[in-house]
Amino acid sequence: MTKTAKDNPYRSSRLFGRLWSGYLRRHSGLMAVAICVMIVEGSTLGALSYMLKPLFDKVFSAGGEDALIWVAFAILGLFLIRAVTSITSKTLLTVIAQRSSSAMQVDLLRHILTLDGGFFQTNPPGALIERVQGDTLAVQGVWSTVITGVGRDIISLIGLFAVAITIDPVWTLAALIGAPILIAPAIIIQRYIRRKTAAMRNDAGHRATRLDEVFHGIQAVKLNRMEAYQVSRFDAIVQRIIRAELRMVAGRSTIPALIDVITGVGFFAVVMLGGAQIVEGERTIGDFMAFFSAMALTFQPLRRLGDMAGFWQVAAASLERLFRLFDIQPAPRPRATACLTHPDTAPQIVMDDVVFGYGDVPVLRGLSFTAPAGKMTALVGASGAGKSTVFNLLTAMAEPQSGQISLDGTDIATLPLPDLRSQFAVVTQDAALFDETLRENITLGTTPDITALATAMDAAHVSEFVGALPLGLDSPAGPRGSALSGGQRQRVAIARALLRDAPVLLLDEATSALDAQSEALVADALTRAAAGRTTLVIAHRLATIRNADHIVVMDQGRVVDSGTHGELLARSGLYADLCKLQFQA
């Protein structure tokens, strides 16, 4: 089974470290340029506040005409520099954010596709979609926010405080008198924001899952008049998201609000202290205006940095969910050292004392049987006997807990996964078609020879209906193949299996849901597909496997009988009982 990460919370330093090493480092050149540009942008605030001193002391005093031009041009130049650097930095940060978040989405999908089948039994598609889309988009802005805070706002604060200190260190201390009060509340609020954001992202996954299930099962919803029920369930999830969102926003807003209060206290102290000194003639109006402007200009950078702390906690909640998913690893397999002696010929399949269960629920209890090479072997038994599990184990969608499965004497656990899965072509009752063209659904990303494609389509009876479609082979199959009938979907799946030309064919209830005419066509196509291949068939309709070369009867995860149709009937065992029930019905 898939190994999951431990549940201990990730520290912010660890999250940012993984973010940097995995995605930001590759853009370090662009980031360095952006930071340099923002340093220039941030330093203009300090220079602007400093220019107010000569503006009031020289230009606005008697005989200040000579200083008017250079002071005016200096201030204009500062604003021009700020405009150019602002455009440049925002463009560079957008490039970094888009490229990094896109790379994270691709990497996450690539990683998820390596995980075992058991992972997908406990993680619904909607929740995974929300991880790949929602969580990566939620952290997209972290790059620009953090870099902006480091490259522009911190530099702005350093420059502005430098100006303030050079004018009067005592005034500066008075302005910062309330700053220490912020520390404890800020820490508490950040933890609160992270908890609420994590809850909101979790509920967002439930919302996506609910939508996926509603739209996937739309026919059942309508036929059973479940519209109001499904809407009420969806509304309950949405209301939880709203409550978490409101609390998270309230938490994020609290830090800048506290900064406003502390800044107001600082301004009050400076006005009282500095105003008295100006009245007494100890300081000039230019000193006070330059200092007051420097402190006033710190207001917005401080607010942005305060909001950045909350924003980081929002992003950290999504990053933690993403990295926990990255930390899940597929169950380890033995080192792939073996290879098939004859990979292109139909192999003999042997299952020897195989044990497997889903969690604490046992499914296979020492299953053993042999499927002869190039023959058709049918697996029959009641629901829950473990027939479909056999297919999952053969294709390494799950790993047996004990026992051995071999192809021509080679343990499949020692085969590389691509080599193992190249041995199988699968046709199931629910043909998995994608919302792509018929051509793409048959070729599955390969570029086969035109003759091979035509042969596969003819053998699967796909050519009989493709010609009547508006775009022929380039007609869309629709979501989950909804543009085709059940029989047509099955024939497309069989054409796919024939084109794959694998030596083992796995058929799981491939005709059970079809009408008589479609079943006849599909059965004929399956007969052609099985020729020269080792074929395993799961069938509840026993009439369809009468001519199988070998029939394995399963019950509660064990083989209870095997033989041909005639031999099993003659023994009057479980198979004969199943046949009697079906044929009487």
Side-chain angles (χ1 to χ4, degrees), residues 212-228:
D212 177 73
E213 291 184 349
V214 168
F215 295 143
H216 186 202
I218 189 64
Q219 188 174 12
V221 170
K222 289 183 173 294
L223 290 176
N224 293 282
R225 295 178 297 170
M226 297 171 62
E227 292 90 345

Side-chain angles (χ1 to χ4, degrees), residues 384-470:
K387 303 183 296 297
S388 296
T389 301
V390 171
F391 283 15
N392 289 335
L393 295 177
L394 278 173
T395 54
M397 295 299 291
E399 298 291 335
Q401 291 156 359
S402 64
Q404 185 182 79
I405 305 171
S406 61
L407 299 179
D408 276 344
T410 301
D411 186 351
I412 65 170
T414 63
L415 292 171
L417 278 178
D419 292 353
L420 172 63
R421 289 175 178 159
S422 68
Q423 295 294 296
F424 300 100
V426 183
V427 182
T428 65
Q429 176 182 354
D430 184 18
L433 300 190
F434 302 99
D435 190 10
E436 298 172 347
T437 66
L438 294 181
R439 185 190 307 276
E440 290 167 322
N441 270 286
I442 295 173
T443 60
L444 296 182
T446 63
T447 53
D449 178 74
I450 296 177
T451 303
L453 177 59
T455 301
M457 290 172 55
D458 290 340
H461 297 286
V462 171
S463 303
E464 296 177 8
F465 69 86
V466 163
L469 298 177

